[in-house]
Amino acid sequence: MAHYNFKKITVVPPAKDFVDIVLSKTQRKTPTVVHKHYKISRIRTFYMRKVKFTQQTFHDKLTQILTDFPKLEDVHPFYADLMNVLYDKDHYKLALGQINTARHLIDNVSKDYCRLLKYGDSLYRCKQLKKAAMGRMCTIMKRQKQSLEYLEQVRQHLSRLPSIDPNTRTLLICGFPNVGKSSFINKITRADVEVQPYAFTTKSLYVGHTDYKYLRWQVIDTPGILDHSLEERNTIEMQAITALAHLRAAVLYVMDPSEQCGYSIEQQIELFNNIKPLFVNKPLLICTNKVDVIRLEDLPTEKAEQFKVFEESGIPLLSMSTLTEEGVMDVKIQACEKLLQYRIDTKIKGKKVNDVMNRLHVAMPAKRDNKERPPCIPESVQSLKKTMDTDVKSKKKSLRDLEIEEGDEYTVDLRKHWNLPNEEEKYDIIPEIWQGHNVADFIDPDIMKKLDELEKEEEMREQAGYYDNESEEEDDEMKEIRKTARKIREKRNIIMLESKEKRRVEKPKLPRKKMSTDKMNRELGALGIEMDSDEDTHLNQMRSRSKSRKALKRKREESMDVDKPRSRSRSVSKAPRDQSGVRDAKMARKVKTIGRKAQVPRNREAKKGEGDRVILNMKPKHLFAGKRKGGKTDRR
Amino acid sequence: MRLEKCYFCSSTVYPGHGIQFVRNDCKIFRFCRSKCHKAFKKKRNPRKAKWTKAFRKAAGKELAVDPSLEFEKRRNVPVKYNRELWQTTFKAMKRIEEIRIKRQNQFILNRLKKGKELRKEADVKEVETNIHLIKAPTGRVKTLEKKMVQVIQEEDDDDMEEV
């Protein structure tokens, strides 16, 4: 019912935030772009939409608030009264009324400005109108700041009220402050109400739940009530009074005969008499608490006499001590019984009962004859029962017994029940792994047979010379050949490296130094050529100024003949270029093919020769025009 | 406790090492280390990864079919413990291991013999074709000269002695 919704009221934002929320929502949910050159109708609809949207959002949010907050007329009178006590009915209604008017005003503003917007003739004018409309709506909201704050506080407090069901079985505990009401509720329910030695520790109503006869019972703890007139009561006491007034519950009036609460017995009885009108139509119980301090019997006679009044009026008087828990359960049981009885009585007196009663019928079968008919138990079951009764211990000693016997030194013996052909081997340590092999993979009853076969085979192989690995001794010749082959390979690698070095042109190279005669002698000597030391070889002739060079004799061609023209002869001291450095015919052919192949790339580019570096078109248009689709400029 | 074989490289997986992967068809793949596991996840074929035993056996680089390899076989029916049997098995295991290793080494040596022959032939051919790199056609071999010089010297000595 109604009390459940108190936790589901929407949060009421403060005025500033409210405005912010609505405006940002408008910003997000409506189109944002508009230009001067749009059609005027489009501009008008654009701004009208904004105004209407803001109005709609305000309206929705305010409606939400108004519907969520409980209407005091619609709730149970207990809650209505409680809210009045706590929040002041007038203030509450006023705040909600103001919100309502604000909503109405915002609607009106929006209507007016939409009407004006219909006739806006420029973007600027429409924009100003929209600004004005939104501004007015926001000011209206800002004026509601106080109401919104108050409503937010009300909401927070409402959501924290204990959920009291006004219609179910309830026990209400009341009395002076410090008599022991909260201790009592702590004892019978799981509620954890604060108990302190000062008065008015409990400042509001607290609910606990307890069970009796498979039913749920609410127990309500109230703040203490003091003895003065209704008008002088403060909010805290008023809550207790409200509860007393509206809830149909069993009332437990708790008294403290030891006067430890600070009030005498007379005062407590005075208060009782004052609030007696509230107990009309409610089952009532008087409980005297703190009997561990002083018992009713031990009270001096004057005080004891006052309690007689209750006995006369037929109100049950019970004693209990919440400290020692003596009599607490009794009180609870009595109270519950009384309330149950009362409720049943009221129900029977009412009209609804008849509907239920008409549908119920209890059948009581009458006895047919006087024959005895006891329950029938079969024989087997009876014998089984007998065997179970006699405590015969089984002969077998269980493992658990063994465990208990051995105590600390007990270890589970898993091998005890192994069924092996040879019983002594049960507790052997079995190897599982050897040198990277699983022993279990080799286990075979025929393994010795197979091993014998294998050994035989092995012998045969050895005899056949399978394991003869003598490499033939290489004769000297072979050794020489190997050595020279190695030298050849080394020399070849050196030549390759040298040629790579030569080709790798990184720095400008200086021309070769003159090869000295010693070096040349050495190199040729390595190849096996001995230089004969003749005097008139070129090498041994030192070039000095003093010595004049003899004219070198050259081989004369047949062209020295007079008949042949001189122009046809060529000097043969220099070898023709296509023959210099060429060793043999094979190399000559290779040279020719290399020469031909070198022409191919040039011919493909239609160059006249190796010296042709002409570029016809330095800046072709297709590479220098267009946007950057063709790639970066360095890659075009 | 059992030593398993890695699915990828066929090395032994000791307890506490590696990862086991169980596929939805209940086939178990054991891996010795993350290298094999990752290769498997990349769907590589162990028969094509040169460093695995599977490749080596399939490519004939190692002994694959041999009676000494038939002894180690996973048996699904366990045999009841019998001390004598276990002891004989142990001795047999050692001997089998010896024989297996011997045969494997021989197999590899046989395989490598061919390479020796080829290298010998290559050397001879090399000398025949490329001798010009270290010896000019007209050059004389120095060592032979040295020997000749030695022989002459000895003769001289002999002559000296005689005289």
Side-chain angles (χ1 to χ4, degrees):
Chain A
M1 319 127 166
H3 70 262
Y4 213 78
N5 283 344
F6 295 167
K7 299 202 197 289
K8 288 196 181 160
I9 306 175
T10 46
V11 181
V12 181
K16 220 175 175 197
D17 289 353
F18 204 134
V19 165
D20 281 339
I21 290 166
V22 175
L23 288 179
S24 70
K25 192 162 182 196
T26 318
Q27 169 89 350
R28 275 180 292 126
K29 303 275 186 185
T30 52
T32 48
V33 180
V34 72
H35 289 293
K36 257 198 311 200
H37 58 77
Y38 286 177
K39 274 219 191 91
I40 189 65
S41 56
R42 186 171 166 187
I43 298 175
R44 281 188 198 136
T45 47
F46 175 83
Y47 283 112
M48 276 209 308
R49 189 166 166 183
K50 289 218 184 254
V51 172
K52 279 204 188 128
F53 188 89
T54 317
Q55 176 258 321
Q56 191 70 31
T57 321
F58 268 123
H59 186 98
D60 289 340
K61 287 202 183 290
L62 291 170
T63 318
Q64 176 86 344
I65 292 172
L66 287 169
T67 43
D68 277 347
F69 272 93
K71 267 198 182 151
L72 291 180
E73 293 80 25
D74 293 346
V75 246
H76 192 272
F78 165 63
Y79 277 109
D81 229 1
L82 191 66
M83 282 174 73
N84 181 20
V85 164
L86 292 168
Y87 317 128
D88 189 11
K89 187 161 74 170
D90 296 332
H91 194 174
Y92 181 78
K93 279 195 165 169
L94 219 85
L96 286 175
Q98 293 215 335
I99 299 284
N100 198 11
T101 20
R103 184 176 61 166
H104 193 63
L105 285 172
I106 288 173
D107 290 345
N108 287 346
V109 161
S110 140
K111 248 189 277 178
D112 289 336
Y113 276 89
C114 278
R115 244 182 277 139
L116 284 173
L117 264 169
K118 270 197 272 190
Y119 301 104
D121 48 1
S122 73
L123 180 127
Y124 179 74
R125 218 170 282 234
C126 289
K127 188 168 179 182
Q128 297 296 83
L129 282 169
K130 164 223 160 217
K131 228 168 143 185
M134 313 262 268
R136 278 182 73 172
M137 287 193 249
C138 293
T139 347
I140 294 169
M141 273 324 291
K142 279 190 218 162
R143 283 209 302 262
Q144 307 305 321
K145 185 165 153 195
Q146 308 275 14
S147 310
L148 290 170
E149 266 177 31
Y150 168 76
L151 282 172
E152 174 61 18
Q153 287 182 359
V154 166
R155 181 195 76 88
Q156 284 182 2
H157 198 273
L158 256 183
S159 66
R160 289 200 187 102
L161 283 182
S163 45
I164 300 174
D165 186 355
N167 298 323
T168 180
R169 303 161 283 276
T170 325
L171 301 177
L172 200 55
I173 310 172
C174 54
F176 258 99
N178 263 359
V179 292
K181 304 187 286 297
S182 304
S183 323
F184 179 65
I185 192 176
N186 280 347
K187 285 286 175 243
I188 47 172
T189 68
R190 281 207 68 184
D192 208 0
V193 189
E194 221 187 310
V195 174
Q196 295 284 350
Y198 60 87
F200 288 105
T201 317
T202 314
K203 296 195 243 310
S204 63
L205 301 171
Y206 283 95
V207 190
H209 292 86
T210 182
D211 298 314
Y212 179 69
K213 280 198 176 166
Y214 310 109
L215 294 167
R216 261 276 123 128
W217 297 75
Q218 264 180 159
V219 186
I220 300 184
D221 180 26
T222 64
I225 315 170
L226 292 173
D227 193 12
H228 40 223
S229 59
L230 196 65
E231 295 78 29
E232 295 163 26
R233 293 202 187 279
N234 59 25
T235 332
I236 304 174
E237 293 172 322
M238 276 309 289
Q239 287 182 56
I241 302 291
T242 319
L244 274 173
H246 291 281
L247 294 173
R248 290 188 314 138
V251 179
L252 265 74
Y253 186 75
V254 184
M255 293 182 69
D256 181 7
S258 67
E259 296 176 6
Q260 269 189 352
C261 56
Y263 304 94
S264 66
I265 297 181
E266 290 91 19
Q267 283 176 310
Q268 294 183 35
I269 294 179
E270 257 304 308
L271 172 67
F272 178 75
N273 289 330
N274 281 343
I275 55 176
K276 226 176 170 181
L278 288 169
F279 299 155
V280 156
N281 285 346
K282 296 193 177 66
L284 176 61
L285 265 157
I286 311 268
C287 321
T288 45
N289 200 7
K290 308 188 192 174
V291 285
D292 52 306
V293 179
I294 185 165
R295 295 198 160 272
L296 261 182
E297 298 84 38
D298 305 335
L299 267 180
T301 32
E302 316 91 50
K303 312 227 174 178
E305 273 175 14
Q306 293 167 330
F307 284 102
K308 292 224 179 96
V309 183
F310 297 123
E311 288 176 37
E312 286 160 24
S313 39
I315 305 166
L317 181 70
L318 298 162
S319 336
M320 64 174 185
S321 168
T322 48
L323 195 65
T324 59
E325 296 197 39
E326 183 192 325
V328 167
M329 278 300 139
D330 279 343
V331 170
K332 170 185 147 192
I333 288 166
Q334 277 241 332
C336 294
E337 280 292 330
K338 243 199 148 185
L339 183 63
L340 254 179
Q341 199 56 44
Y342 177 76
R343 280 171 80 98
I344 290 168
D345 287 336
T346 33
K347 279 190 184 147
I348 288 174
K349 279 190 214 146
K351 289 186 213 162
K352 277 193 190 170
V353 196
N354 291 330
D355 292 339
V356 182
M357 296 272 271
N358 287 340
R359 282 185 263 155
L360 288 175
H361 172 66
V362 181
M364 305 286 270
K367 268 200 171 178
R368 199 161 36 147
D369 51 23
N370 287 329
K371 194 174 174 185
E372 272 278 324
R373 289 187 179 94
C376 171
I377 303 171
E379 277 293 324
S380 55
V381 173
Q382 281 186 340
S383 57
L384 206 68
K385 268 195 180 171
K386 261 193 216 145
T387 48
M388 281 176 72
D389 278 336
T390 50
D391 223 6
V392 177
K393 257 199 176 171
S394 49
K395 285 178 205 161
K396 269 196 201 167
K397 195 180 186 188
S398 72
L399 210 60
R400 174 78 183 138
D401 294 332
L402 193 67
E403 189 184 339
I404 294 167
E405 214 181 86
E406 292 194 8
D408 269 343
E409 46 180 64
Y410 170 69
T411 46
V412 184
D413 191 5
L414 294 166
R415 295 200 186 191
K416 201 160 45 154
H417 297 285
W418 274 15
N419 181 15
L420 291 175
N422 201 344
E423 288 294 316
E424 302 146 358
E425 296 168 0
K426 263 204 277 200
Y427 294 95
D428 273 0
I429 301 171
I430 304 171
E432 291 174 35
I433 289 168
W434 177 76
Q435 271 219 358
H437 300 280
N438 293 308
V439 173
D441 289 344
F442 285 88
I443 299 293
D444 193 2
D446 314 325
I447 196 165
M448 286 323 277
K449 235 195 299 173
K450 290 189 187 162
L451 183 63
D452 287 334
E453 282 173 23
L454 188 73
E455 297 257 21
K456 265 186 239 161
E457 206 186 311
E458 191 69 15
E459 262 186 60
M460 276 174 30
R461 280 200 197 186
E462 268 197 61
Q463 282 172 3
Y466 183 67
Y467 293 110
D468 295 337
N469 277 336
E470 296 167 12
S471 48
E472 318 95 24
E473 263 302 315
E474 292 180 336
D475 45 349
D476 279 342
E477 192 193 323
M478 209 51 225
K479 281 191 187 155
E480 273 296 320
I481 290 175
R482 268 198 208 274
K483 239 204 279 180
T484 39
R486 204 181 326 134
K487 272 195 217 158
I488 290 167
R489 283 193 209 110
E490 275 175 28
K491 190 77 209 277
R492 196 190 354 206
N493 285 339
I494 289 170
I495 292 170
M496 275 170 32
L497 283 172
E498 277 176 3
S499 96
K500 277 187 194 153
E501 286 279 333
K502 269 193 225 162
R503 278 165 194 267
R504 199 186 339 140
V505 184
E506 284 164 10
K507 295 186 255 185
K509 279 209 170 129
L510 293 170
R512 254 198 321 211
K513 274 197 225 165
K514 259 199 288 189
M515 197 190 256
S516 61
T517 39
D518 296 322
K519 193 169 173 192
M520 201 172 85
N521 274 337
R522 251 185 294 136
E523 283 192 9
L524 290 175
L527 287 172
I529 301 171
E530 282 290 332
M531 290 307 297
D532 41 328
S533 43
D534 275 1
E535 275 299 325
D536 45 335
T537 52
H538 282 182
L539 298 169
N540 293 335
Q541 275 185 351
M542 287 200 345
R543 289 208 185 130
S544 62
R545 286 213 169 170
S546 48
K547 230 178 178 178
S548 60
R549 277 187 266 165
K550 260 200 288 188
L552 295 163
K553 286 196 176 173
R554 288 190 202 150
K555 185 177 163 203
R556 285 231 169 168
E557 275 256 351
E558 285 99 35
S559 56
M560 276 284 104
D561 225 20
V562 190
D563 298 333
K564 276 195 184 164
R566 182 86 185 159
S567 56
R568 291 287 176 116
S569 72
R570 285 204 198 124
S571 78
V572 291
S573 55
K574 264 195 169 178
R577 281 174 101 201
D578 60 348
Q579 285 172 23
S580 71
V582 179
R583 275 200 296 267
D584 47 22
K586 183 176 155 199
M587 202 171 168
R589 267 182 271 129
K590 197 162 184 191
V591 161
K592 276 218 174 103
T593 49
I594 290 170
R596 262 189 286 117
K597 284 208 177 136
Q599 286 187 359
V600 168
R602 287 199 298 265
N603 289 346
R604 210 182 299 134
E605 289 171 15
K607 298 219 180 282
K608 278 188 244 158
E610 59 184 34
D612 180 1
R613 292 166 197 249
V614 170
I615 303 172
L616 294 166
N617 193 355
M618 284 297 260
K619 279 193 159 193
K621 185 172 177 190
H622 70 281
L623 293 178
F624 287 92
K627 300 192 182 162
R628 287 197 172 260
K629 281 186 277 185
K632 282 194 178 169
T633 39
D634 56 338
R635 269 193 283 119
R636 275 184 183 181
Chain B
M1 198 166 48
R2 249 194 89 85
L3 301 180
E4 305 289 351
K5 291 271 175 229
C6 172
Y7 166 81
F8 201 83
C9 64
S10 318
S11 65
T12 45
V13 187
Y14 276 84
H17 289 255
I19 287 178
Q20 271 185 11
F21 164 63
V22 183
R23 215 166 45 181
N24 276 352
D25 60 356
C26 303
K27 184 155 157 61
I28 300 178
F29 297 89
R30 294 170 220 267
F31 304 104
C32 60
R33 56 202 195 283
S34 60
K35 176 178 178 177
C36 304
H37 187 41
K38 282 182 186 158
F40 176 77
K41 283 198 271 191
K42 288 184 189 169
K43 297 193 172 182
R44 295 239 176 99
N45 188 357
R47 279 164 180 274
K48 291 202 175 167
K50 293 246 165 60
W51 55 278
T52 55
K53 275 275 187 253
F55 172 86
R56 304 211 87 219
K57 301 227 162 147
K61 298 206 185 280
E62 269 181 23
L63 194 60
V65 186
D66 192 57
S68 65
L69 297 172
E70 305 287 313
F71 283 86
E72 184 168 6
K73 187 168 59 170
R74 196 207 166 108
R75 281 146 233 271
N76 292 323
V77 181
V79 177
K80 271 203 185 164
Y81 177 70
N82 178 4
R83 195 187 288 172
E84 198 192 306
L85 176 62
W86 247 251
Q87 281 174 344
T88 48
T89 309
F90 225 74
K91 288 186 204 135
M93 258 169 79
K94 293 184 184 157
R95 181 76 192 122
I96 289 165
E97 188 68 12
E98 281 172 25
I99 294 173
R100 184 181 67 86
I101 288 172
K102 206 165 153 205
R103 287 196 187 180
Q104 197 149 302
N105 293 343
Q106 189 55 41
F107 182 84
I108 291 170
L109 273 169
N110 289 351
R111 192 163 59 88
L112 297 175
K113 268 183 206 167
K114 188 133 183 259
K116 255 196 209 172
E117 297 288 332
L118 290 172
R119 274 196 289 275
K120 219 190 271 186
E121 281 174 35
D123 281 344
V124 170
K125 191 162 174 231
E126 182 92 48
V127 169
E128 275 176 23
T129 51
N130 294 331
I131 190 73
H132 61 267
L133 289 178
I134 57 170
K135 193 169 82 162
T138 55
R140 291 157 284 165
V141 183
K142 267 204 182 155
T143 47
L144 275 174
E145 241 193 32
K146 272 198 190 156
K147 278 193 183 165
M148 280 166 60
V149 167
Q150 255 189 0
V151 167
I152 293 165
Q153 274 188 346
E154 279 171 18
E155 281 180 20
D156 283 341
D157 288 336
D158 288 335
D159 286 336
M160 287 295 288
E161 279 184 22
E162 270 181 36
V163 167

